[in-house]
Amino acid sequence: MIAILIVALAAGAASALMFASIVSGAAISILLFYLAPLPVMVTALGWGPLAAAIGGIGAASVLGALFGLPYCIAFAMMVALPGWWLGHLALLGRPIAGAAADSAAQQPPAIEWYPVGRILLWVAAFAIITTTAALLTLGTDSDTITGTLRRGLLKVLSAGEGQPSSDIERVVEALVIFAPLAATVIAMVTLTLNLWLAGKITQTSGRLNRPWPELRNTALPAMTLVALLVAVAASFVGGMLALLAQIVTTALVIAYALVGFAVLHTLTLSLTNRGFWLGGIYAVVVMFGWPIVAIFALGIADAVFGLRQRYLQTRPPPLPAE
């Protein structure tokens, strides 16, 4: 228990330092800020959710004492709570009904682990919550939020100049529209990346208390597509509801895009230069951004038409899980 407590406090201290580094203004602090959930997630996967909770609560308390309540709340919502809960879900499993243990071979019973697709939905939920909470600090209605964003961006982009030019004003208007969506995308991607990195670290160290999931089988629940369509429709209503619906739409689009990558990994199983093609596609998406639309469409097509299932029915058994 003492060892677990030491690990928990060390992880909390590391996350707190990475989170608080953003006040330094150094370029490297941005990377550290977005990787702040990683120590908490590693602790949750390797030493259990209780250790992650202890570390998260301790770190949030210290940040609150040093920098004030807003930092405490921000750390708890953006780092401690997602790290603890996602780590808990990743280790959540139950014995498969009818799959009894082999007592002769002393094999443990088969376990059904919490689906990766549902974990992805929780990542989307945290991205929506944190982005919405950040916007609500600017105001409680869409006009106030956009006005505060506009004034802040004009002040930053026109620093050192007198009256902002028309070009700067056009850029600011575009940023006001896309800033909440970009924040949602960043939250989705960084949380997903942190969880994947935490899993790899604990697996490499031998602390991961579950088998590595077959990520190419990731699928979202069927009702997710209905939720996406409802969010898209609500995005045209106007006002605060439209702003929130746009955030939800963005989070679910990224979720389906991540599923699209899983589909891509399945549909390329028989390619001889598979690594080259996958690496090239990832590089193009990272460099240009807009090809993510095609990956999103692939995820939607799989949800509607079952592309992976159709492919695997006509192909030899897939290669071992990546």
Side-chain angles (χ1 to χ4, degrees):
M1 185 62 188
I2 299 298
I4 292 177
L5 183 61
I6 293 173
V7 169
L9 295 178
S15 288
L17 287 172
M18 294 166 74
F19 182 84
S21 67
I22 196 69
V23 301
S24 69
I28 190 64
S29 66
I30 298 175
L31 177 61
L32 294 175
F33 176 81
Y34 286 122
L35 289 176
L38 183 58
V40 177
M41 289 181 177
V42 169
T43 304
L45 293 176
W47 285 266
L50 178 59
I54 294 172
I57 292 172
S61 302
V62 172
L63 284 175
L66 293 177
F67 299 103
L69 185 60
Y71 272 87
C72 174
I73 296 174
F75 179 85
M77 291 185 61
M78 298 177 63
V79 178
L81 183 59
W84 164 72
W85 184 245
L86 295 176
H88 165 71
L89 293 178
L91 296 179
L92 202 60
R94 61 185 178 185
I96 299 176
D102 187 352
S103 56
Q106 296 184 342
Q107 293 292 328
I111 300 295
E112 179 186 11
W113 298 99
Y114 196 79
V116 176
R118 292 185 181 273
I119 295 177
L120 195 56
L121 278 185
W122 277 104
V123 172
F126 281 119
I128 293 167
I129 291 170
T130 54
T131 304
T132 302
L135 291 178
L136 289 177
T137 62
L138 305 178
T140 56
D141 60 86
S142 59
D143 292 336
T144 304
I145 290 171
T146 54
T148 304
L149 276 175
R150 186 179 294 107
R151 288 191 297 272
L153 290 170
L154 278 173
K155 183 177 180 180
V156 171
L157 295 180
S158 60
E161 299 182 8
Q163 192 72 14
S165 64
S166 59
D167 291 337
I168 291 178
E169 290 181 349
R170 284 194 294 268
V171 171
V172 167
E173 290 300 323
L175 289 176
V176 166
I177 296 173
F178 289 108
L181 311 185
T184 308
V185 172
I186 292 172
M188 277 288 298
V189 172
T190 53
L191 274 178
T192 304
L193 180 61
N194 275 304
L195 185 58
W196 181 82
L197 285 173
K200 283 297 183 182
I201 290 170
T202 50
Q203 183 192 37
T204 302
S205 65
R207 300 282 316 185
L208 186 61
N209 295 318
R210 58 157 296 170
W212 187 258
E214 294 188 8
L215 297 180
R216 61 169 174 254
N217 294 334
T218 301
L220 297 173
M223 289 303 295
T224 308
L225 186 57
V226 177
L228 175 60
L229 294 176
V230 172
V232 170
S235 299
F236 298 95
V237 172
M240 192 66 183
L241 178 60
L243 182 59
L244 296 177
Q246 291 166 10
I247 293 172
V248 173
T249 300
T250 303
L252 294 181
V253 165
I254 298 302
Y256 271 110
L258 293 172
V259 172
F261 282 114
V263 176
L264 193 65
H265 276 257
T266 300
L267 299 184
T268 57
L269 282 172
S270 60
L271 293 181
T272 54
N273 296 322
R274 181 168 178 262
F276 171 79
W277 288 108
L278 288 175
I281 292 171
Y282 275 101
V284 168
V285 171
V286 171
M287 289 175 61
F288 299 102
W290 63 262
I292 196 70
V293 176
I295 307 299
F296 161 72
L298 189 60
I300 293 292
D302 179 74
V304 176
F305 302 109
L307 298 182
R308 283 177 288 188
Q309 184 178 1
R310 293 172 182 268
Y311 172 82
L312 293 175
Q313 287 175 348
T314 60
R315 293 289 177 176
L319 298 173
E322 299 170 358

